[in-house]
Amino acid sequence: MVAQLTSGERQLALVVLIALALVGLAMGVVGRADPIGVHGLIVLVLSVGLTFLVLSSLYAPEPSAERLSQYYDDPSKVGIILAIVWGIIGMAMGVWVAALLAWPDLTFDAGWASFGRLRPVHTSGVIFGFGGNALIATSFHVLQRTSRARLAGQFSPWFVLLGYNLFCIIAAAGYFMGVTQSKEYAEPEWYADIWLVIVWVTYFLLYIRTLARRKEPHIYVANWYYMAFILVVAVLHIVNNLAVPVSLGHAKSYSAFSGVQDAMTQWWYGHNAVAFFLTAGFLGMMYYYLPKRAGRPIFSYRLSIISFWGITFMYMWAGSHHLHYTALPEWVQTLGMTFSLVLLVPSWASAGNALATLNGAWHKVRDDATLRFMMAAAVFYGLATFEGSFLAIRQVNSLSHYTDWTVGHVHAGALGWVALITFGSIYSVVPWLWKRERMYSAALVEVHFWLAIAGTVVYVFAMWNSGIIQGLMWRTYNESGTLTYSFIDSVVAMHPYYIARAFGGLLFLLGILVCAYNIWMTIRMAPAVQPTSTADLPEPRQIPVSPAPAE
Amino acid sequence: MPEFHRKIERSAIGFVLAIVVVSSIGGFIEIAPLFTIDETVEAAPDMRVYTPLEVAGRNIYLREGCYACHSQMIRTLRDEVERYGPYSLAVESKYDHPMLWGSKRTGPDLARIGGKYSDAWHVAHLFNPRDVVPESVMPKYGWLQRNTVRTDDLGEHLAAMRAVGVPYTDEMIANAGNDAFGQASPDSSFAAGVSERYGEATQVRMFDGNPEQVTEMDALVAYLQIIGRLTDVAHKQAALAQEGAK
Amino acid sequence: MSLDHETLVAFSKSWGLFYLIALAIGVVIYALWPANLSKFHVAKQSILDEDDKPWT
């Protein structure tokens, strides 16, 4: 892959990697008494490793000019594989922490293996590792096709993808060592945050530069969503992570905000991370791969525009519904609740638009599990956004908040919407990227579909039950006017549901393992022998004389 | 209007700026009043800052991810007030960088945990929760008793907190390491300085019952015992409300 | 900064809402403007062709 870079790009890569290695070295030296030193070592080892990779092909011949008449898909391929790897890690961690809640001693007597440190590995692993890599990989793919233009440069896509994964590795390794800001979904410490800003700005510039090269006059709606994802995540990330580090040799920092201000900032971030990371980006996937796979244009382009601006505008206001009945001023709570309710309109417009696109193609949905993944995702998106608006009502929230209902809601969105739309997109894009006729096994896609659906349903139902029971037990009074249940009574009542939840998660994990095997076998399959598609093979690696093996 | 939109959409940069402006205005307008929120936070003249040992303990609380299962925010609901105590006031987390209000109660709320149980209970509970509460699903934290707490850099920690607005004095910062040792070693010569700098009411004692070293257990228990007790304004307000009701 | 909390709250509640309504109306007008329909039609069809190469 390095040989595909021009010699100028190889030199640039070398300079960046050496600079990064030096930063790692400095972190290791300055922070030798602190976890930041371990992080420095990780940075050093990874960048030196990549340096050798670049050096090995530094003087390889220049790539042919032919490449410019094709799309640049290598980073997308690597991104898809990384997404699956992170997905397996993140979901396996999820099953482990779920099991720990049912059987708390199912671990080692060591800090790294305790629930509180494993949990962020699960959340970051699936959200940032799995979701983030899938977003980056598909955004490159969609951006080029809808712009009819090749990515601007070959270095910055790699910098974005690998730099982002370095951030994920730093994050996960840090959690095991107890390095965390303790802000949910923004746990990585200051230096990882700074690094992510650099990567994200590069991502943004790459996107803009490619769009500027586009040959289509109109920017297709999927790009609007990807763009909103990139931009707003940058704003959220920078504001919520403002902090003062103890010193350059300490991983630890203190948040710039405190108390009520910090709470508001955190949930403004948290809720909009759901909106712009877990919704906008994945809607971008949906608006491209679903019509493409169904072979039908999106039902209403007008509706997609209206819902885009609705989501972009209104989500920003809704964050305070996470803080009902707290020390937050009441008007902010009311505003958050109102906008959460109104938000249902653009959300359902998107879900309805997706389903209406499939109207008339139901036979395809029946026969093609890939398309069915995307249809189910749209259904779960509709359900989860309805539930979200419902839970944002103050009175409902008084029961549901702090309980497993929230966890169930999050997973209805994360498993049902985010993961299903991602799997649907991955199954569409893998044969496309690797120039195969189809996935290795349609039957295995079918198996994955049912494992994923069963896992999601078991999980969500278990959490609905446990959450509502929990909430009711906490507020039940007996005849004499005192609370009926002690807290531990509610913990005991959760046990069967926690077992069910771990089982649901296990089914979902099995699904992604099936997916990984299917992708692996697809890559190993012989390329499709279509005369039209040979022209734009990204890497004409095969030796011309040898014909493709029959089996 | 449509002409304008068509234009911005055709130039990618303009389109991007439109997204930035549109979405950040909404976000900014909602959070803008929170930058002046300190005007609305209750006054608590008696509120003290965390001692260095409590800061170290709080950092252990963060490190182990306790916030994932325990909230520190009692809502203004009858059952919560009866179960946990007076509802939380904004001022009580004024010095919390970051706040630990939490989002989930796999275990009970901890906003009023300080002083509710003995040190010995906390030590036994953290060592193995199921020794104390047989049905508990909380993890064991055996290593807290084995690890000595790092105190040599606590001055830098306090200085960083001062940079974000916690009123630590130069003297507090200069003596941070000694004060952390002193607070867990009542018989040492450093103990007196803690009460001098942080007030007579500061709890100076051997939290983990082990005189050999100042462990992470000492620090965490010291923190747990101060949660909700930096100021008693919430209790005072609750008492006033009760009198008013009569 | 001489803005006090009350002023900011009042501003957020009134002008913020006005801003939202104005924006919503603008977007709906754009989306429903008859002259834009043909463009949207081209856009939604554009992704469906099998052409998988950059245009030059």
Side-chain angles (χ1 to χ4, degrees), chain C residues 1 5 7 9-11 13 16 18 21 24-25 27 30 32-33 36 38 42-43 46 48-49 52-53 56:
Chain C
M1 289 282 277
H5 188 68
T7 320
V9 169
F11 175 78
K13 280 183 150 174
F18 177 74
I21 294 167
I25 292 171
V27 168
Y30 166 73
L32 298 183
W33 200 261
N36 286 339
S38 60
V42 172
S46 70
L48 293 177
D49 60 27
D52 201 28
K53 263 179 289 192
T56 44

Side-chain angles (χ1 to χ4, degrees), chain A residues 174-196:
Chain A
Y175 303 150
F176 285 121
M177 296 186 286
V179 176
T180 169
Q181 293 192 113
S182 86
K183 291 187 152 200
E184 282 181 87
Y185 319 113
E187 289 94 347
E189 272 292 356
W190 59 278
Y191 45 98
D193 292 335
I194 293 173
W195 173 246
L196 186 63

Side-chain angles (χ1 to χ4, degrees), chain A residues 70-340:
Chain A
Q70 298 144 19
Y71 294 129
Y72 191 46
D73 284 337
D74 289 358
S76 295
K77 289 182 181 175
V78 174
I80 293 290
I81 293 170
L82 285 169
I84 294 293
V85 170
W86 277 108
I88 293 171
I89 295 171
M91 290 174 200
M93 281 295 165
V95 174
W96 189 4
V97 290
L100 281 177
L101 285 174
W103 304 285
D105 288 326
L106 207 66
T107 186
F108 311 98
D109 178 26
W112 71 266
S114 83
F115 179 91
R117 297 201 198 175
L118 297 179
R119 178 185 174 273
V121 181
H122 161 60
T123 54
S124 289
V126 292
I127 296 172
F128 299 118
F130 173 66
N133 273 306
L135 284 171
I136 293 175
T138 57
S139 73
F140 289 165
H141 184 255
V142 172
L143 171 63
Q144 296 183 91
R145 267 79 189 171
T146 52
S147 303
R148 316 276 186 184
R150 190 178 156 91
L151 284 177
Q154 298 180 118
F155 171 74
S156 51
W158 287 114
F159 181 79
V160 171
L161 182 71
L162 299 179
Y164 180 75
N165 279 278
L166 176 63
F167 166 79
C168 293
I169 290 170
I170 294 286
Y175 303 150
F176 285 121
M177 296 186 286
V179 176
T180 169
Q181 293 192 113
S182 86
K183 291 187 152 200
E184 282 181 87
Y185 319 113
E187 289 94 347
E189 272 292 356
W190 59 278
Y191 45 98
D193 292 335
I194 293 173
W195 173 246
L196 186 63
V197 171
I198 298 172
V199 170
W200 218 250
V201 168
T202 314
Y203 188 14
F204 171 65
L205 292 176
L206 173 64
Y207 218 94
I208 287 292
R209 279 162 52 224
T210 308
L211 272 183
R213 296 175 162 202
R214 73 187 188 282
K215 300 293 188 297
E216 283 276 5
H218 180 83
I219 300 176
Y220 184 69
V221 69
N223 287 313
W224 305 20
Y225 284 95
Y226 279 120
M227 192 81 91
F229 146 67
I230 297 171
L231 282 164
V232 181
V233 166
V235 175
L236 299 171
H237 174 77
I238 291 171
V239 173
N240 191 40
N241 285 302
L242 290 174
V244 174
V246 171
S247 81
L248 290 180
H250 279 84
K252 171 78 191 159
S253 67
Y254 288 93
S255 162
F257 308 111
S258 73
V260 61
Q261 218 169 350
D262 189 44
M264 190 59 218
T265 316
Q266 159 62 22
W267 289 113
W268 169 76
Y269 166 88
H271 191 73
N272 286 302
V274 172
F276 289 92
F277 202 102
L278 296 177
T279 302
F282 292 91
L283 281 171
M285 272 186 204
M286 186 188 83
Y287 276 116
Y288 185 75
Y289 293 107
L290 186 132
K292 190 80 185 165
R293 184 78 183 187
R296 303 163 61 85
I298 193 78
F299 168 70
S300 167
Y301 202 81
R302 291 169 155 182
L303 197 55
S304 73
I305 292 173
I306 295 175
S307 44
F308 170 78
W309 287 106
I311 287 172
T312 305
F313 190 78
M314 281 189 273
Y315 252 110
M316 280 286 177
W317 299 63
S320 43
H321 69 223
H322 288 256
L323 300 165
H324 281 324
Y325 298 101
T326 63
L328 190 74
E330 196 172 331
W331 76 269
V332 183
Q333 299 181 24
T334 310
L335 194 69
M337 165 176 148
T338 313
F339 273 88
S340 308

Side-chain angles (χ1 to χ4, degrees), chain B residues 29-99:
Chain B
I29 291 181
E30 198 195 348
I31 62 166
L34 281 138
F35 289 98
T36 52
I37 196 81
D38 44 341
E39 294 172 21
T40 65
V41 170
E42 311 79 1
D46 63 333
M47 186 159 173
R48 77 159 167 85
V49 294
Y50 290 110
T51 66
L53 188 67
E54 290 155 10
V55 168
R58 191 169 191 276
N59 288 341
I60 292 164
Y61 185 100
L62 301 185
R63 185 186 76 190
E64 303 303 347
C66 306
Y67 60 88
C69 295
H70 295 284
S71 57
Q72 289 188 24
M73 172 48 63
I74 301 166
R75 296 180 292 171
T76 53
L77 299 169
R78 178 185 161 203
D79 60 292
E80 298 214 352
V81 171
E82 284 181 19
R83 186 181 297 278
Y84 301 115
Y87 60 82
S88 299
L89 300 179
V91 69
E92 291 182 273
S93 45
K94 182 167 74 166
Y95 297 142
D96 283 12
H97 292 266
M99 56 85 207

